[in-house]
Amino acid sequence: MAAPPANLRATFELFKFYRPEVGLVQLLTDAGVARLSPRQIYHAVHDRPPDSLQVALPPPTNYDAVNVFVAALSSLEFQENFAARLLQAFPKKRRLFFVHIPKTAGVDLARHLISRYPSISTTLLDRTLTPTSEQIFLAIKHIVLELLCSDTIFISGHTTLGGYQAWGGNGIRCQDHVFTVVREPLEQIVSQVNYTLTRIFSEEIPAPADTAGWRREFAVTEMLPQLSREDVVQLARRILRHPGVVVPNAICTFLGGSYERSIAQTVAHDLEVVEMKRLDAWAEQTWDITEKTKRNSSTKFVSMEDFSSDDQDYAHSIVQEDLRYYDGVMAAYERHGGTSVRGSQLVR
């Protein structure tokens, strides 16, 4: 008779045998889950005891441990915490964290590394981006199987450095490697505006969620052929001034929240910082990646010169912290050379 999973490691390893066509219920039934109490299920899935008497004790009739286990695995708590819990279950694996700041060619880099390491995308933790549990279950299956032949786990997504730190001992440790890519802040702003325009004018059917959302947000009802050049520039100006789309001081937002905090966190984690124009050279030197791809690239609808002087002043005003950080990175390159700089090199 199979021994039911009694801890996180056993639960995750059970997914090696998950097949959507067979289903989770059959997998859990064959694993002996029907013999587990609610308390045992909580520890096996959430690594904690039940938080109330009502859920700690099985009901006197009609208790179905398999369905309780399925509900736990399908819960928001499991989805939001599964990355940290999976790392907790495999503590001997080295962790490679990518702090992916938007519009820094990070999609290309992540795709190369995903093909080399067992990988966790933090989009899986967000129910609005990953709405079905089946996607998570398949991701766990692939990760656990790939871990059999790798000593490293790659973690990526638009997650801040603080977000990874919030995982506590299941996040960044001294022996782990953390890196990011930064871009000249004003170039990054223009790229974000162009990316948003590219998505708004996308001809994909059905429209992806981001495309539909931005069309609603900016009340775009006509497509590009019907819009004049002036209409496009006016739309770009509105996008520029929308803080939910063009995030002020994006570098510092992702690395610490303020310039001073970002510097402190960069040093504390000995963060490896790659300037975007040096990314290809760094990727080849570090990972032997020679392919030059441009996935997720944008159409160049506008440049900074297309904006009014007031818009340009506004753009400068929302990147002052980032400019200080970026200038510090470039100064470190001047002092040390190479294709990247480490946190320990950023401060004289």
Side-chain angles (χ1 to χ4, degrees), residues 292-311:
K292 308 297 188 294
T293 56
K294 292 192 176 183
R295 298 182 182 90
N296 212 35
S297 59
S298 309
T299 301
K300 188 176 180 181
F301 288 97
V302 294
S303 64
M304 186 59 75
E305 290 70 29
D306 291 310
F307 292 105
S308 68
S309 58
D310 285 345
D311 290 330

Side-chain angles (χ1 to χ4, degrees), residues 273-286:
V273 184
V274 184
E275 197 277 324
M276 187 170 153
K277 290 185 174 64
R278 294 162 171 81
L279 179 56
D280 286 343
W282 176 80
E284 182 171 359
Q285 179 186 81
T286 307

Side-chain angles (χ1 to χ4, degrees), residues 77-94:
E77 178 181 349
F78 180 77
Q79 179 169 0
E80 291 179 340
N81 293 284
F82 104 84
R85 301 274 168 77
L86 191 142
L87 294 178
Q88 177 185 349
F90 295 89
K92 294 183 179 179
K93 302 296 182 179
R94 180 172 176 262

Side-chain angles (χ1 to χ4, degrees), residues 62-97:
N62 299 322
Y63 172 64
D64 188 332
V66 171
N67 283 336
V68 173
F69 207 105
V70 170
L73 290 172
S74 304
S75 68
L76 186 61
E77 178 181 349
F78 180 77
Q79 179 169 0
E80 291 179 340
N81 293 284
F82 104 84
R85 301 274 168 77
L86 191 142
L87 294 178
Q88 177 185 349
F90 295 89
K92 294 183 179 179
K93 302 296 182 179
R94 180 172 176 262
R95 302 165 189 175
L96 178 62
F97 289 94

Side-chain angles (χ1 to χ4, degrees), residues 15 73-74 83 90 108 128 144 209 215 293 298 313 336 343:
F15 277 93
L73 290 172
S74 304
F90 295 89
D108 276 347
T128 62
V144 174
R215 286 175 183 168
T293 56
S298 309
D313 289 344
H336 301 284

Side-chain angles (χ1 to χ4, degrees), residues 167-181:
W167 297 355
N170 303 318
I172 303 169
R173 305 166 302 183
C174 184
Q175 67 268 35
D176 299 324
H177 181 195
V178 195
F179 69 92
T180 193
V181 182

